[in-house]
């Protein structure tokens, strides 16, 4: 997996404004891991002190060394894939099927994006904790030891990201599909307790945070059908970089119709293997996505846990799949990997652009008293530079803020953004 995602490791730059902002904040926030002021505000909309504290520490040390920064995340993703493979082995999958399914998970579009974007540390943490809890469940470790560890792991996951509230629900599904084993029932209690405490303290802040949370976090139960559909078919839309907004083109789009057909074939194959496998695929996917289904848009990293669950279901159903079903699963797995490869290549390309763009932008801003006007050479890249200039306080000591303007195509600009991200002075 590390070799397959080498382009993510050897990425000289970053994807978006998040990394650039935290690279700045890491130098401004004082205090150590537990004394940075992030742990006490329980009513913050994004109360993720574990994630943000780790992000600060990593940014302080590695922001100027992107290869090392990316290597940590890709390595972490490889560990998660290994945990998933071990879990599938303990659950009855063969060695080959377990490791191939884990590889499809790790190289698929959801994980490729998560492993390649520094801003997804939260997703790596909560899915790691969920996999460790499940591994403890299947390991046979005595409950007297396992239950406190599960409680602690679930609490850690909640301190990383709100999405971890789905962990006890996933365990409840495991309890049901395992034949209602008492061990799973006790695990549900151990993980439901920290979730109940978390929601008692935080639910009001999450649901009624107001308009300062960003448009993607504007939630409504009416979003559930569209979000569910997007997460289901996105892996088969191999030419897309992001999981969101493609429904704006309508369901009549040819690529969407083909993706829907593949998804229906997969559901049919699992249904033929047994109703419980189709039920596990559908219910497990919904539960793993949980709260992100109500959000205003889909995002690749939100599907990270979903990808792990659906890969595990397909691997565990493998023995019961007919030959036709196995062929369908293999073909969809190949599409997922190809989609992941396309995302890896795109993320590396954006990183190369950022590595050229941000330092040269800082130089241009430092040498110009008035706002710097920019225009991309290729209009298809405009969205990249919108993100790379969004609310960046400073870069390498140069204040940026509102001193940058991306002008529309055809308007005069001080600099042209070349295809590789470098800036070329214009004559207006």
């Amino acid at each position: 997996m590390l070799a397959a995602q080498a382009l993510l490791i050897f990425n000289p730059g970053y994807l978006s404004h998040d990394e650039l902002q935290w690279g700045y904040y890491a130098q401004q926030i004082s205090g150590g891991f537990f004394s940075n002021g992030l742990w006490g505000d329980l009513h913050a909309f994004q109360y993720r002190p574990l994630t943000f504290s780790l992000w600060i520490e990593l940014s302080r040390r590695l922001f100027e060394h992107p290869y090392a920064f990316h290597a940590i995340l890709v390595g972490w993703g490889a560990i998660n894939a290994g945990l998933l493979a071990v879990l599938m082995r303990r659950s009855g999958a063969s060695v080959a099927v377990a490791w191939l399914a884990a590889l499809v998970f790790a190289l698929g579009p959801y994980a490729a994006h998560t492993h390649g974007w520094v801003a997804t540390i939260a997703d790596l943490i909560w899915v790691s904790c969920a996999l460790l809890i499940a591994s403890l469940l299947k390991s046979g470790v005595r409950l007297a030891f396992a239950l406190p560890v599960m409680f602690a792991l679930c609490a850690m996951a909640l301190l990383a990201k709100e999405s971890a509230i789905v962990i006890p629900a996933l365990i409840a599904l495991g309890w049901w599909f395992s034949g209602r084993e008492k061990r799973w029932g006790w695990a549900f209690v151990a993980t439901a307790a920290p979730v109940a405490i978390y929601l008692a303290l935080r639910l009001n802040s999450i649901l009624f945070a107001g308009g300062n949370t960003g448009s993607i976090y504007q939630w409504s139960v009416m979003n559930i059908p569209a979000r569910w559909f997007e997460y289901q078919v996105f892996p088969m839309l191999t030419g897309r970089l992001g999981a969101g907004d493609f429904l704006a083109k309508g369901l009549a789009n040819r690529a969407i119709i083909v993706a829907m057909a593949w998804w229906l074939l997969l559901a049919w194959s699992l249904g033929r293997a047994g109703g419980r496998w189709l039920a596990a695929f559908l219910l497990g996917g919904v539960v793993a996505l949980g709260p992100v289904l109500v959000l205003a848009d889909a995002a690749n990293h939100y599907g990270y846990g979903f990808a792990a669950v659906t890969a595990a279901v397909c691997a565990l159903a493998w023995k019961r799949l007919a030959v036709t079903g196995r062929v369908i699963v293999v073909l969809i797995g190949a599409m997922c990997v190809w989609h992941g490869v396309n995302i890896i290549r795109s993320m590396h390309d954006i990183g190369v652009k950022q590595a050229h763009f941000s330092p040269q932008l800082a130089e241009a801003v430092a040498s110009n008293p008035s706002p710097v006007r920019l225009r991309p050479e290729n209009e298809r890249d405009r969205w990249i530079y919108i993100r790379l200039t969004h609310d960046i306080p400073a870069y390498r000591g140069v204040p940026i803020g509102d001193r940058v303007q991306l002008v529309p195509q055809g308007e005069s600009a001080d600099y042209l953004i070349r295809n590789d991200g470098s800036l070329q002075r214009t004559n207006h």
Side-chain angles (χ1 to χ4, degrees), residues 226-243:
R227 294 297 84 76
W228 178 86
F229 180 84
E230 287 169 339
Y231 285 112
Q232 298 293 328
V233 302
F234 172 66
M236 283 76 77
L237 294 171
T238 57
R240 285 198 58 84
L241 179 61

Side-chain angles (χ1 to χ4, degrees), residues 40-83:
D41 188 6
L42 288 169
H43 300 297
F45 173 66
Q46 287 189 332
Y47 180 69
R48 302 174 182 177
L50 180 58
T51 294
F52 294 150
S53 296
L54 179 58
W55 198 346
I56 287 171
E57 295 302 320
L58 289 173
S59 292
R60 282 174 178 168
R61 293 161 176 78
L62 301 177
F63 179 73
E64 295 293 345
H65 307 283
Y67 289 169
F69 212 154
H70 291 305
I72 287 175
L73 267 70
V74 174
W76 194 338
I79 291 171
N80 281 348
L83 287 171

Side-chain angles (χ1 to χ4, degrees), residues 162-166 219 286-295:
E162 307 80 19
S163 295
I165 62 172
V166 305
W219 65 272
V286 168
V287 170
L289 290 166
V292 304
L293 290 173
V294 303
L295 299 182

Side-chain angles (χ1 to χ4, degrees), residues 291-348:
V292 304
L293 290 173
V294 303
L295 299 182
D297 202 359
N300 296 11
H301 53 296
Y302 294 167
Y304 190 51
F306 165 77
V309 168
T310 51
V313 170
C314 291
L316 296 175
W318 181 262
K319 293 178 181 177
R320 296 163 183 82
L321 290 172
V323 173
T324 305
R326 291 185 177 188
V327 170
I328 290 169
V329 168
V330 168
L331 290 174
I332 290 177
M335 278 189 282
C336 288
V337 171
W338 178 242
H339 194 173
V341 168
N342 288 334
I343 286 176
I344 289 169
R345 292 166 59 192
S346 295
M347 295 182 78
H348 183 270

Side-chain angles (χ1 to χ4, degrees), residues 88-98 269-270 272-274 276-277 311-323 325-326 329:
M88 288 187 286
R89 281 288 296 127
R90 289 175 176 172
S91 301
S94 68
V95 173
V97 170
S269 301
L270 291 170
R272 286 191 66 196
R276 69 193 304 266
W277 297 110
V313 170
C314 291
L316 296 175
W318 181 262
K319 293 178 181 177
R320 296 163 183 82
L321 290 172
V323 173
R326 291 185 177 188
V329 168

Side-chain angles (χ1 to χ4, degrees), residues 112-175:
H113 185 94
T114 303
H115 300 164
W117 189 22
V118 168
T120 61
I121 292 172
D123 302 276
L124 289 166
I125 294 174
W126 90 257
V127 171
S128 290
C129 291
L131 289 169
L132 287 168
I133 289 169
S135 297
L136 266 177
L137 261 173
K138 299 298 293 184
S139 68
V141 173
R142 292 178 59 184
L143 286 178
F145 170 78
L147 294 179
V149 175
M150 292 177 190
F151 181 98
L153 285 169
C154 189
M156 285 178 58
L158 291 164
L159 292 172
K161 192 168 187 179
E162 307 80 19
S163 295
I165 62 172
V166 305
I167 290 175
L170 287 171
I171 290 174
L173 280 180
W175 170 80

